[in-house]
Amino acid sequence: MVLRTEGLTRRFGSVVAVDHLDLHVAEGEIYGFLGPNGAGKTTTIMMVLGLVPPTEGRIWLFGQPLGAGRSPALRRRIGVLSEFHYLYEEMTAQEYLEFFARLYGVSGARRRIDELLERLELADRRRELLGGYSKGMKQKLSLARTLLHDPELLILDEPVSSLDPYGIRQVRDLLLEENRRGKTLVISSHILSEVERICHRVGIIHRGRLLAEDTMDGLRTRLATEQELEVELERVDEPIVAAVQAVEGVSGVDRRDGKLLIRTRTGVDLRPAISRAIAGSGGVVLSMQTRQMSLEEAFVTITENNISLLAREGMAS
Ligand SMILES: Nc1ncnc2c1ncn2[C@@H]1O[C@H](COP(=O)(O)OP(=O)(O)OP(=O)(O)O)[C@@H](O)[C@H]1O
């Protein structure tokens, strides 16, 4: 495990920002750390970085327990992109990266800086003062700084919050490449469609508690209380709809654009029974597709509607 926490807790007065969190991030994985505003993501990251002391609980980084002091050797193995990065407005991008390269003692800094600026399409703007940079450009430059010393573990707090879709794609491609080179990534975000695209596993945190920690597929399966089947028919009529509605396990049927949208419970495959019901009413099935629940839907479900359900099921401690 690159990162592990056990019973990690942080209180601010009467507020429990992080509540007995057990996280597991394995080497080489891209881990999405998701949660709504105020869920406790930043506080968790600050504790992992040794910037905020935990009230209770323990943290291991690269298998070593995190002590009270911040070890410089440990810091060098981690790259952090936080929302609070301060950029020196009177420096150019080139000067800024050279400054940090010297600070970190990066060898082969010139090539690394060139490569990162090229990858993030900032190379043409490298001689401009950062005061004139847009928010998106600043965010990309902060990411370049985070990657500069080639850290093994990247902790990225909302890495694409200021980026347009094109910038998001650039950053995503760069992060995927870092991961292919063996880097472990922890990405805290609420931009779910992007996280969904690159994370191997996600942890969902709400009010400081971990509601779920699972692979994307596992999470979808566990979160979806209903799934939807989209059935295309040669023709749709009322007897067919009635026959489908009568199939046990079907909770609703809608007609849209000559198709049937059938809601069913998860965990049961009703396709054979539905096919038989349609055929028995004289219908002909042209195609049948199960619609996957996106993480965005899962996330909305988990944070707004299904918390008590999840708590009851004991999906996470
Ligand atoms: N220094 C502090 N003093 C008091 N309360 C704090 C402090 N830092 C965080 N909190 C509280 O702890 C809770 C968790 O906040 P945190 O910033 O960790 O959430 P987050 O998931 O990062 O949210 P966001 O997505 O909005 O950044 C919130 O209720 C917040 O108000």
Side-chain angles (χ1 to χ4, degrees), residues 12 15-18 35-44 83 157-158 190:
F12 294 104
V15 176
V16 187
V18 175
N37 291 135
K41 304 181 297 291
T42 305
T43 306
T44 303
E83 291 169 308
D157 199 0
E158 304 285 0
H190 56 252

Side-chain angles (χ1 to χ4, degrees), residues 12-131:
F12 294 104
S14 60
V15 176
V16 187
V18 175
D19 191 0
H20 295 92
L21 209 57
D22 297 342
L23 296 178
H24 307 84
V25 181
E27 187 176 342
E29 86 175 337
I30 306 183
Y31 185 96
F33 191 39
L34 306 182
N37 291 135
K41 304 181 297 291
T42 305
T43 306
T44 303
I45 290 174
M46 300 286 265
M47 287 193 281
V48 168
L49 298 176
L51 299 173
V52 166
T55 312
E56 268 177 58
R58 295 199 290 169
I59 299 168
W60 289 262
L61 276 168
F62 307 106
Q64 303 292 320
L66 194 69
R70 284 196 281 152
S71 116
L74 195 62
R75 297 279 295 169
R76 297 184 68 80
R77 300 175 73 183
I78 306 176
V80 183
L81 175 68
S82 83
E83 291 169 308
F84 314 110
H85 266 177
Y86 178 73
L87 290 178
Y88 304 98
E89 307 250 309
E90 69 287 0
M91 278 186 178
T92 67
Q94 180 77 29
E95 286 164 351
Y96 180 78
L97 292 179
E98 282 172 0
F99 173 76
F100 278 99
R102 274 198 303 277
L103 204 66
Y104 296 144
V106 177
S107 60
R110 188 157 286 271
R111 232 190 47 222
R112 182 75 175 148
I113 290 173
D114 285 351
E115 178 197 26
L116 288 168
L117 289 175
E118 288 290 340
R119 286 302 305 263
L120 294 166
E121 295 188 14
L122 292 172
D124 294 347
R125 317 285 298 264
R126 64 166 78 197
R127 307 276 170 216
E128 290 175 32
L129 293 182
L130 300 183

Side-chain angles (χ1 to χ4, degrees), residues 296-309:
E296 195 140 6
E297 288 168 281
F299 183 78
V300 169
T301 307
I302 206 166
T303 54
E304 287 175 9
N305 300 327
N306 262 346
I307 287 165
S308 57
L309 176 79

